[in-house]
Amino acid sequence: MTDIRESIRKLMLVMVVTFLLLLFIGLSILLGYTDTSIKLAYEAFTSFDGSNEHLIIKTVRLPRALVAACVGASLAIAGVYMQTLTKNPLASPGILGINAGASFAVVLTITYFEVTGLQVFTWVSFIGAAVAAATVYFIGGMGSQGLTPMKLTLAGAAMTALFSSFTQGLLVTNEAALNEVLFWLSGSVQGRKLDVLISVFPYLAIGWLLALVLTPAMNVIAMGDDVARGLGVKVGFLKLSVGLIVILLAGGAVAVAGPIGFIGIVIPHIARRMIGTDHRWLVPFSGLLGAVLLLAADIGARYIVMPQEVPVGVMTAFIGTPYFIYIARKGFNKG
């Protein structure tokens, strides 16, 4: 009876967060510098007349809301898998150097190939993120002990520092590149078109599906590698699969919106407090919660210095920093 009640409680939480997700998508479509209403939004989709308000709703705010939801969900799920794999409560997609690798790839392309355009940025940053993550995973797996959480963490920190240094060096020598990518480097969903999301969505969808399929195995590996091996889990293959999931989700998210921080760190901790450590519930719940948080941060970013907008990456940092400090202090005290 207790298990049934707990399952019902978790299902109710998922339903509440799903409702919040739909609510914030609606608010993201309605709210902003240009005044709109529910009636106007409804007419934009049912009887489009080409007016400025209808264009803003269909071509600007709807894609922006969908991008924010997909990016937030992807970063949160990637964070769950990174923290479980590394046994590190402060782990996030950035630990694999994804943000730094994507940023370096974009800056390098602008500096030496003089390529511009958000569509090009998307693919270049996705490739850079994937290469960086694969490199870190390869370096972390070298040696007689194979891939360990500590080696993976150290390899990620080293590659992040390396790519960040290269990026700063390129920006110092090329002011034009700095102007082109400064807003992207801050993390933003503003101005993202639907075709940009569509081009990356298949990779995100594959990452979500793999993440859901592997949830039972993640429950086992969370108890330790030795226990997992004893229960018949192929630990090496599972870790490679987790690396692929992180590349697809975090790399795709960075490709679309730039390096947005703190979602992958904070959301998994909040989700665990609310719904527990069972990955069968934790993974989808974290995805929904991450989407809600990024949508809320993006809506808030529109009003801080209106009519200008603050990059959503700044807003997530403002929201996530206090909780990040709390997690760090708690982990330090335990140590």
Side-chain angles (χ1 to χ4, degrees):
M1 181 64 86
T2 302
D3 291 340
I4 295 176
R5 288 179 179 176
E6 182 64 14
S7 297
I8 292 175
R9 184 188 71 85
K10 292 178 179 180
L11 182 59
M12 291 297 295
L13 283 173
V14 171
M15 293 175 63
V16 168
V17 177
T18 301
F19 171 77
L20 289 176
L21 174 59
L22 297 176
L23 174 64
F24 275 95
I25 288 176
L27 292 175
S28 181
I29 294 173
L30 292 175
L31 301 178
Y33 180 70
T34 301
D35 291 332
T36 56
S37 63
I38 296 177
K39 180 182 177 181
L40 191 63
Y42 176 77
E43 291 174 348
F45 295 103
T46 58
S47 55
F48 181 75
D49 60 11
S51 65
N52 183 55
E53 290 80 5
H54 283 189
L55 284 171
I56 289 175
I57 290 171
K58 290 196 67 173
T59 64
V60 177
R61 290 187 182 171
L62 177 62
R64 181 172 181 169
L66 295 178
V67 167
C70 290
V71 168
S74 299
L75 291 175
I77 293 173
V80 170
Y81 272 79
M82 284 303 304
Q83 291 175 12
T84 300
L85 181 67
T86 63
K87 309 296 190 298
N88 183 351
L90 299 180
S92 71
I95 201 172
L96 284 182
I98 289 175
N99 291 0
S103 302
F104 173 69
V106 170
V107 174
L108 181 67
T109 301
I110 294 175
T111 302
Y112 286 99
F113 300 99
E114 298 182 354
V115 176
T116 59
L118 189 57
Q119 189 73 23
V120 177
F121 287 175
T122 298
W123 286 108
V124 169
S125 61
F126 183 80
I127 294 171
V131 170
T135 302
V136 171
Y137 206 86
F138 173 75
I139 295 174
M142 296 177 64
S144 58
Q145 294 180 340
L147 186 67
T148 65
M150 180 59 70
K151 288 168 64 178
L152 186 65
T153 302
L154 292 175
M159 293 304 296
T160 297
L162 180 65
F163 281 125
S164 297
S165 298
F166 287 163
T167 300
Q168 292 172 9
L170 289 174
L171 291 176
V172 167
T173 59
N174 192 323
E175 185 176 351
L178 176 61
N179 294 332
E180 286 285 346
V181 302
L182 186 59
F183 200 78
W184 182 87
L185 288 172
S186 299
S188 177
V189 295
Q190 180 184 1
R192 272 42 173 183
K193 303 299 183 182
L194 196 57
D195 58 346
V196 175
L197 176 62
I198 291 174
S199 64
V200 180
F201 185 79
Y203 300 98
L204 299 180
I206 292 172
W208 296 338
L209 180 61
L210 288 176
L212 292 174
V213 169
L214 292 181
T215 51
M218 293 305 294
N219 284 338
V220 178
I221 203 171
M223 296 184 289
D225 291 359
D226 293 337
V227 175
R229 290 190 182 95
L231 294 175
V233 175
K234 297 180 179 179
V235 175
F237 178 76
L238 180 60
K239 289 182 176 180
L240 287 173
S241 300
V242 171
L244 176 62
I245 290 171
V246 172
I247 290 172
L248 290 172
L249 295 184
V254 171
V256 174
I260 297 176
F262 292 99
I263 297 289
I265 297 177
V266 173
I267 289 298
H269 289 277
I270 297 176
R272 288 188 189 97
R273 285 178 174 271
M274 297 179 66
I275 209 163
T277 58
D278 186 345
H279 285 73
R280 292 173 297 178
W281 291 97
L282 178 62
V283 169
F285 188 76
S286 295
L288 292 170
L289 204 59
V292 170
L293 178 59
L294 193 56
L295 280 164
D298 182 49
I299 293 171
R302 306 175 193 182
Y303 290 92
I304 299 297
V305 289
M306 187 180 281
Q308 301 297 323
E309 290 194 17
V310 176
V312 71
V314 176
M315 288 296 297
T316 57
F318 179 76
I319 296 171
T321 297
Y323 200 84
F324 176 82
I325 295 173
Y326 166 75
I327 296 170
R329 287 177 58 86
K330 183 178 179 181
F332 179 79
N333 292 333
K334 283 184 177 181

